[in-house]
């Protein structure tokens, strides 16, 4: 960072926005993080100023400015969206399928049997409650909404920023490892712009927009809750209390998201805005 100012001409003049995507893969219970070059360990000893400057130049070479006119083919929201799925299945699992998988899962069936005590009427009432919980939690997908919001975002960011730099090399490395495992995206959460930019960059590079964990405060916002849901947000309560049925349904929904959903899952390990810069 000490030498970063020397390369200010490589970055935007009004405001610098560097987006480092960290792909986290979950396979067989093992979490493996792929870090950016900036996070790699330094060479032994104190590097000379020339070496530090050379390293910074090499690092910046991996970044591409999405707001450069030459990159409009990436940011064009009317382009064909040929998504690369992190965990492709033979048949794409859509949001409605996710709810069915949860409702018909053995775990939820066992919960319904236990809670109903074999009473058909009580069981039918519990099924309605489970469906209502799934409607509260469940994400949705609307490409039309994504395109409209992306167009609005293009208009805004081109007026407040002169550059938005994405580590394209790391993105391509991430895409090259798609195929046989669920992908968990674990970005930092310094502002509400983080998850918006994650989805924006995913669209630009034809990566399927993941399911995004969101708090119920967004759910309760007029129009906003529905709009965010249609761009991949699923909602969770801040506290489950003693609601065992909600806990069982939410846990099963998360299990199916990780196991069956093609798009991957995005959430923030600190819950609220980042305080320790963890990602």
């Amino acid at each position: 960072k000490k030498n970063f100012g020397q390369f200010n001409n490589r970055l935007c003049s009004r405001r610098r926005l560097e987006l480092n995507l960290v792909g986290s893969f979950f396979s067989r219970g093992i979490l493996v993080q792929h870090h950016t070059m900036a996070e790699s360990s330094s060479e032994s000893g104190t590097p000379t100023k020339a070496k530090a400057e050379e390293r910074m130049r090499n690092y910046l070479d991996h970044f591409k400015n999405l707001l450069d006119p030459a990159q409009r083919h990436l940011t064009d929201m009317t382009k064909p969206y040929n998504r690369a799925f992190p965990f492709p299945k033979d048949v794409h699992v859509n949001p409605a399928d996710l709810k069915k998988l949860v409702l018909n899962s053995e775990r939820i069936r066992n919960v319904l049997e236990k809670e109903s005590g074999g009473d058909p009427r009580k069981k039918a009432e519990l099924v309605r409650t489970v469906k209502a919980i799934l409607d509260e939690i469940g994400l949705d997908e609307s490409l039309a909404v994504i395109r409209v919001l992306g167009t609005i975002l293009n208009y805004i960011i081109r007026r407040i920023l002169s550059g938005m730099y994405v580590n394209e090399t790391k993105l391509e490395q991430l895409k090259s490892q798609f195929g046989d495992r669920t992908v968990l995206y674990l970005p930092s959460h310094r502002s509400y712009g983080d998850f918006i930019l994650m989805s924006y960059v995913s669209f630009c590079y034809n990566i399927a927009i993941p399911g995004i964990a969101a708090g119920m405060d967004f759910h309760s916002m007029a129009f906003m809750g529905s709009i965010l849901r249609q761009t991949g947000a699923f909602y969770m309560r801040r506290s489950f209390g003693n609601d065992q049925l909600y806990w069982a349904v939410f846990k099963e929904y998360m299990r199916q998201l990780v196991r069956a959903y093609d798009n991957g899952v995005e959430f923030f390990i600190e819950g609220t805005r980042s305080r320790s810069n963890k990602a």
Side-chain angles (χ1 to χ4, degrees), residues 20 23 121 210 214:
N20 289 320
R121 288 186 177 181

Side-chain angles (χ1 to χ4, degrees), residues 32-45:
V32 183
Q33 284 195 320
H34 298 262
H35 299 280
T36 62
M37 290 176 62
E39 297 169 315
S40 61
S41 58
S42 60
E43 298 174 359
S44 59

Side-chain angles (χ1 to χ4, degrees), residues 215-227:
M216 291 301 292
D217 44 345
F218 286 108
H219 180 276
S220 59
M221 291 182 182
F223 303 110
M224 185 61 70
S226 175
I227 289 173

Side-chain angles (χ1 to χ4, degrees), residues 137-156:
I137 296 171
L139 59 81
D140 202 353
E141 297 175 351
S142 173
L143 185 55
V145 171
I146 291 170
R147 290 187 187 278
V148 170
L149 293 180
T151 300
I152 295 172
L153 186 60
N154 270 335
Y155 178 85
I156 293 172

Side-chain angles (χ1 to χ4, degrees), residues 110-176:
N110 290 340
V111 169
L112 292 174
E113 287 295 333
K114 180 180 178 181
E115 294 296 322
S116 66
D119 185 337
R121 288 186 177 181
K122 189 172 183 181
K123 184 176 180 180
E125 183 179 341
L126 286 170
V127 169
R128 287 193 292 271
T129 302
V130 169
K131 288 181 178 179
I133 293 173
L134 286 172
D135 287 340
E136 176 187 296
I137 296 171
L139 59 81
D140 202 353
E141 297 175 351
S142 173
L143 185 55
V145 171
I146 291 170
R147 290 187 187 278
V148 170
L149 293 180
T151 300
I152 295 172
L153 186 60
N154 270 335
Y155 178 85
I156 293 172
I157 61 178
R158 291 181 185 281
R159 278 156 180 76
I160 64 174
L161 301 174
S162 57
M164 186 169 72
Y165 289 79
V166 176
N167 191 329
E168 192 171 80
T169 301
K170 288 297 178 183
L171 269 178
E172 294 304 325
Q173 288 179 8
L174 175 65
K175 289 176 70 174
S176 71

Side-chain angles (χ1 to χ4, degrees), residues 174-267:
L174 175 65
K175 289 176 70 174
S176 71
Q177 297 184 56
F178 283 175
D180 62 351
R181 68 197 77 185
T182 298
V183 173
L184 304 181
Y185 299 93
L186 309 177
S188 60
H189 191 18
R190 296 181 180 88
S191 75
Y192 290 129
D194 294 302
F195 63 85
I196 294 173
L197 289 177
M198 280 286 295
S199 297
Y200 178 80
V201 171
S202 294
F203 184 93
C204 290
Y205 285 90
N206 289 323
I207 296 173
I209 295 174
I212 307 165
M216 291 301 292
D217 44 345
F218 286 108
H219 180 276
S220 59
M221 291 182 182
F223 303 110
M224 185 61 70
S226 175
I227 289 173
L228 291 179
R229 188 190 299 277
Q230 291 179 78
T231 61
F234 64 92
Y235 293 100
M236 60 183 295
R237 299 174 186 175
R238 295 292 183 184
S239 174
F240 297 171
N242 294 320
D243 193 339
Q244 296 300 315
L245 185 59
Y246 179 88
W247 169 243
V249 173
F250 184 82
K251 186 163 60 173
E252 185 62 26
Y253 190 83
M254 286 301 303
R255 181 179 287 110
Q256 296 300 336
L257 267 180
V258 173
R259 185 188 70 84
Y261 195 49
D262 309 55
N263 295 30
V265 184
E266 174 187 339
F267 62 92

